[in-house]
Amino acid sequence: MGQRSGVLIAIDWENIRRGAQLYQRHVTPADLCLAMRHVGSIFGEVKGGKAFGDWSLRPDDGREFSEQDIVPYHAPRTAAGKDRSDPAILLEVYDWIRDREDCATIILGSGDADYQVLVDRARLHGRRIVLCAFSQPVSRDMLATAPLFPLEAELGIRLAEHGDVDVEVVPAPAPETDHGGVDDLLARFVREMHQLESRMNFVGYGVLCNRWMLDWGMGWNEYECRNLVDEYLDAGIVERHEVVNPNNPDWPTAAVRLVRASEMVRMALGLSDGPISNPVLAHG
């Protein structure tokens, strides 16, 4: 064990990004690396690590990880947009467990239940896996098998606390009168859709709502994303179309695309002058 005292870091970047969205926060790769290195230093000397994700989607994040001496491991998504970081992490970390004699501990930036097999394998090889992720998405199975260092604490995110409070010093929330947040949401949706359409043959309605929009931080869950897309359909921002399903021609795939003739879409893409208004309110 004198030689086996090093620490390696494995980061599931999409898992961390989604965890941050639960608190309406944006976490940079640099901040995350600092937090995970701090946790790693408790167990030994941090000897590097890898961050897993589709870096063709987030090249700036990949470069920032590289600047922090964390190697970006490219795990390209499927044609349907499904994230494939999990199998890449399973294979790579298992190689560390099996072959890296200088590694005693692995700091895993995720809490998905799929990684429980890694905890078991690490134990068989005399290694340890420690979780460092946002606590809300961590599965109960993982909590039962591996210690967790919550990123909320490492990043200084204060949670609501129980206790007495003087209601006279708690100001009531001001009524919302500015709908600028909705305009920002529209602009981000249009720009993300524009990039998505430029690299995919079509954008399926289902995968848009249950995966892509969650990645973009457009909603807390699939239900909210579907409601927002339906509002944009009514407002003429997007339109539905059908794509032939070669596996089942009788059941075509429902897809969504930008209505590029829409003035709102053109303004969001910087192709027209004038402010971006709120089409949902205009059609309400």
Side-chain angles (χ1 to χ4, degrees):
M1 290 298 293
Q3 182 183 12
R4 186 183 295 175
S5 60
V7 178
L8 292 174
I9 294 172
I11 299 170
D12 183 343
W13 184 225
E14 290 305 316
N15 179 279
I16 298 299
R17 289 183 66 257
R18 290 184 181 181
Q21 289 168 9
L22 294 175
Y23 301 101
Q24 298 181 330
R25 297 293 186 91
H26 171 71
V27 176
T28 68
D31 289 339
L32 177 64
C33 290
L34 181 63
M36 296 191 73
R37 279 200 171 91
H38 176 261
V39 172
S41 66
I42 298 171
F43 299 93
E45 179 186 354
V46 177
K47 295 183 174 294
K50 294 187 179 183
F52 298 77
D54 188 336
W55 304 115
S56 64
L57 302 178
R58 312 187 197 285
D60 291 341
D61 291 347
R63 281 190 289 270
E64 190 168 343
F65 275 117
S66 183
E67 291 168 358
Q68 300 298 316
D69 295 326
I70 296 294
V71 177
Y73 184 107
H74 186 51
R77 292 183 180 234
T78 65
K82 179 176 175 58
D83 181 68
R84 293 192 295 190
S85 296
D86 287 4
I89 292 174
L90 285 168
L91 291 172
E92 188 72 11
V93 173
Y94 177 66
D95 284 347
W96 294 352
I97 292 170
R98 184 189 60 192
D99 301 330
R100 290 289 297 261
E101 290 299 327
D102 61 341
C103 176
T105 304
I106 294 163
I107 309 299
L108 180 60
S110 179
D112 289 350
D114 293 343
Y115 299 130
Q116 187 174 355
V117 64
L118 285 179
V119 178
D120 297 336
R121 287 289 179 177
R123 189 177 295 113
L124 286 175
H125 286 77
R127 318 293 176 99
R128 169 189 286 182
I129 288 184
V130 175
L131 307 179
C132 183
F134 287 103
S135 58
Q136 288 195 45
V138 175
S139 76
R140 293 183 178 180
D141 291 339
M142 288 296 285
L143 286 175
T145 58
L148 170 67
F149 284 75
L151 271 177
E152 293 92 332
E154 297 299 324
L155 295 171
I157 296 176
R158 293 184 60 84
L159 307 181
E161 298 178 355
H162 294 277
D164 297 336
V165 62
D166 184 351
V167 294
E168 294 183 358
V169 300
V170 178
E176 185 176 346
T177 58
D178 182 8
H179 300 288
V182 177
D183 298 337
D184 292 341
L185 200 66
L186 166 63
R188 186 161 77 253
F189 174 82
V190 170
R191 291 163 187 159
E192 294 285 3
M193 276 289 292
H194 173 69
Q195 293 183 13
L196 199 57
E197 289 179 338
S198 69
R199 63 176 183 269
M200 300 184 68
N201 293 330
F202 67 92
V203 179
Y205 174 79
V207 74
L208 173 66
C209 297
N210 64 34
R211 182 167 298 121
W212 291 112
M213 292 178 68
L214 294 175
D215 287 352
W216 302 338
M218 305 290 293
W220 292 92
N221 50 46
E222 180 181 350
Y223 176 78
E224 286 190 358
C225 293
R226 286 182 180 271
N227 283 343
L228 188 60
V229 171
D230 290 344
E231 290 173 351
Y232 288 163
L233 283 165
D234 292 340
I237 301 300
V238 293
E239 61 183 1
R240 286 180 180 267
H241 66 107
E242 293 185 345
V243 178
V244 175
N245 182 350
N247 297 321
N248 194 343
D250 294 332
W251 295 91
T253 300
V256 178
R257 61 191 171 202
L258 289 174
V259 179
R260 296 181 181 274
S262 164
E263 186 64 17
M264 310 314 310
V265 172
R266 291 177 56 80
M267 284 190 285
L269 295 175
L271 302 176
S272 176
D273 297 329
I276 300 175
S277 61
N278 188 332
V280 174
L281 292 180
H283 287 73

